[in-house]
Each structure stands twice: as C-alpha cells, then as structure tokens.
Amino acid sequence: YCRILLTYIILFLTPDTVLFLRKQCECLSWLCFHATIGNFSSFLNSLITINFIALVLALRQRLKYINSRMANYCQIIEDSEQVFPHSRTTDCISSEDIHKLRVLYAKVQSLSEAIVHFYGVPLAGVIIWLFLACVYIFYYVAYMISSQSVLRIANSVIWTMYSVTLIIVLTVSCHVTAAESRAMMVYVQSLLLNTNLPTDTRHELKSMSFQLLCLKLQFSTCGLFTLDLFFLRTMFGVIVSYIIIM
C-alpha cells in the first residue's frame, strides 16, 4: 500500500516540480524530462489498472468453477429425476460438496474485499485521470484542428481511444465478475426447488443462499461508486455533458 501511495506522490508532485523548474530554466532538456515524467505517470496508471483487472478476472475464474459445479449438480438431478422420478438424490449431491463450495466462495469474497481495500484509493485516482484525459484530449483535438497538425491530432485520437478502452475494460471486467456471483444464486434456487433432496443438503443450500444474499460480490473505489455498467454509462454521460456545456 505504501508503494501505491508513493506512486501517486510521484504522479502528482513531480509534474508540478518540473513545471516550476521549467519556468526557471527554459532548457530543452527540462522539456524532454517533463514529457518523460508525463509518459511515466500514464504508464503507472495503466499498470495499476491492468493489475486490478487481472486480479478481478482471476476471481471470476474461481466463481466460474463454482458455477460449473452447481450447473453440473442441476443437470445430474434433472437427469436422475427423468429416470427415477420418486428417488432421493442422495448420491447426486451431498451436503459436504455444498459446504466446500460455500467455503470457496467465502475465500473469493474475502479476496475481493482485500483487492478493493488495496486498490481503492489508487483506482479512484486512475478513474479521475481517465476522466480528465478524455475531456482534455477532446478540447486539445478541437484546438489543433485549426492548426491542421495531422500528427498531433492522430496522437490525441489514439490516446483518447486508449483511455476509453481502459475505462470499458475496467468496468466490464468488474461487471462480469459480479454477474458470476449473481448467477450462483440462480443455481442454488434451482436446486432448492427439488423436493427429493436430503435434509442436510437442503440446509446447506439454504445457508448458501443466505450467504450469497449477505456477501454480495461487488467492486468499488473507496465506497464512492460501484464499478459496473451503470457506472460506465454514467461516466460517459458526464463526459459528454461536460464537453457540450464547456
């Protein structure tokens, strides 16, 4: 966590220091150094975002494994009911199997909370940076159109597409991971509809249903806003509104 804070100290303080030195010494080397620091800051923001996305997608793989097991149980019970309509499905699904899946989900939930706690502040800074980058680059392109500098306009368009891509990948990865958790509830309720389940298995399924209701998997930035498709739509709406108003 200290490394992340140190990164943002460098990110926010170093450009101001360089601008001050630039005023004191109008030297080409300082201009090159300032450009290097700007690119380095963009690299750090991108690295934080990519690390967060990789961790979120790793959690999604764990949730997909749990859902595959639950879907397999549903399919086995459905097939057994077609062959033996009035038999109890003790051999198909046991309370120990459901309990292991509950423990696995609890570990995934704990890891998600640790990730959100660790990346909360840096991720909020990254989102602010992406928002400002999209707005600033749009105005910069509008200003550079009059100068007919094709190379600078192309560079700005590429940076805009890059920023928008980061926002989309970030929010979509969080959304699909949370969707896996919601899909798990559907499988649990489908299993509970079966009347031939043993009592201990039904008890574990009810406990798992309560666990999914209480421990909802979601990703946020310091509790300010949840990273999902609704946030993506809101952010793009704010960017467009801000550009139109200004």
Side-chain angles (χ1 to χ4, degrees):
Y1 193 75
C2 293
R3 293 179 181 178
I4 300 298
L5 291 179
L6 180 60
T7 297
Y8 272 84
I9 290 174
I10 296 174
L11 173 63
F12 289 112
L13 295 185
T14 305
D16 294 335
T17 304
V18 173
L19 287 176
F20 173 77
L21 293 175
R22 178 187 173 185
K23 293 179 180 179
Q24 303 299 324
C25 180
E26 291 291 338
C27 182
L28 182 61
S29 60
W30 283 116
L31 297 180
C32 295
F33 181 69
H34 178 251
T36 302
I37 291 299
N39 293 331
F40 182 66
S41 301
S42 300
F43 171 76
L44 290 178
N45 282 308
S46 302
L47 186 62
I48 292 172
T49 306
I50 293 173
N51 285 337
F52 179 79
I53 292 172
L55 292 173
V56 170
L57 293 180
L59 292 182
R60 181 173 180 253
Q61 293 300 319
R62 304 297 188 275
L63 295 175
K64 287 181 66 176
Y65 169 76
I66 299 176
N67 283 336
S68 65
R69 293 285 300 273
M70 299 296 291
N72 187 35
Y73 292 150
C74 292
Q75 186 62 40
I76 291 176
I77 290 177
E78 182 179 352
D79 295 341
S80 64
E81 285 183 343
Q82 293 179 359
V83 180
F84 306 103
H86 303 289
S87 64
R88 298 182 67 85
T89 56
T90 306
D91 298 332
C92 300
I93 177 173
S94 63
S95 59
E96 290 80 7
D97 295 334
I98 300 299
H99 183 74
K100 291 179 181 179
L101 295 181
R102 288 182 58 201
V103 172
L104 181 57
Y105 179 79
K107 292 181 179 179
V108 172
Q109 174 66 24
S110 178
L111 286 175
S112 68
E113 291 180 356
I115 292 172
V116 169
H117 176 73
F118 185 82
Y119 282 91
V121 175
L123 203 60
V126 169
I127 291 175
I128 295 174
W129 169 70
L130 291 173
F131 171 78
L132 295 177
C134 291
V135 175
Y136 171 78
I137 293 174
F138 176 84
Y139 283 113
Y140 182 77
V141 170
Y143 173 77
M144 293 304 298
I145 288 178
S146 59
S147 64
Q148 298 181 353
S149 179
V150 179
L151 183 59
R152 292 185 178 181
I153 294 175
N155 182 44
S156 301
V157 171
I158 292 174
W159 269 109
T160 304
M161 294 176 61
Y162 175 74
S163 301
V164 171
T165 302
L166 274 183
I167 296 174
I168 294 176
V169 174
L170 174 64
T171 53
V172 169
S173 61
C174 294
H175 178 80
V176 296
T177 303
E180 290 289 341
S181 176
R182 292 191 294 269
M184 199 179 305
M185 176 63 75
V186 177
Y187 289 122
V188 171
Q189 296 301 322
S190 298
L191 290 173
L192 286 174
L193 291 176
N194 187 278
T195 58
N196 297 323
L197 287 174
T199 305
D200 54 348
T201 302
R202 182 175 293 276
H203 175 72
E204 285 291 337
L205 287 172
K206 289 182 178 179
S207 300
M208 189 173 187
S209 176
F210 182 75
Q211 180 182 7
L212 293 173
L213 286 175
C214 295
L215 302 178
K216 293 183 178 180
L217 189 68
Q218 60 182 9
F219 301 93
S220 63
T221 56
C222 303
L224 297 176
F225 39 77
T226 303
L227 298 174
D228 52 12
L229 295 183
F230 177 76
F231 167 76
L232 180 64
R233 182 182 62 187
T234 303
M235 186 171 184
F236 280 144
V238 170
I239 292 174
V240 173
S241 301
Y242 186 83
I243 290 174
I244 294 174
I245 293 173
M246 296 298 293

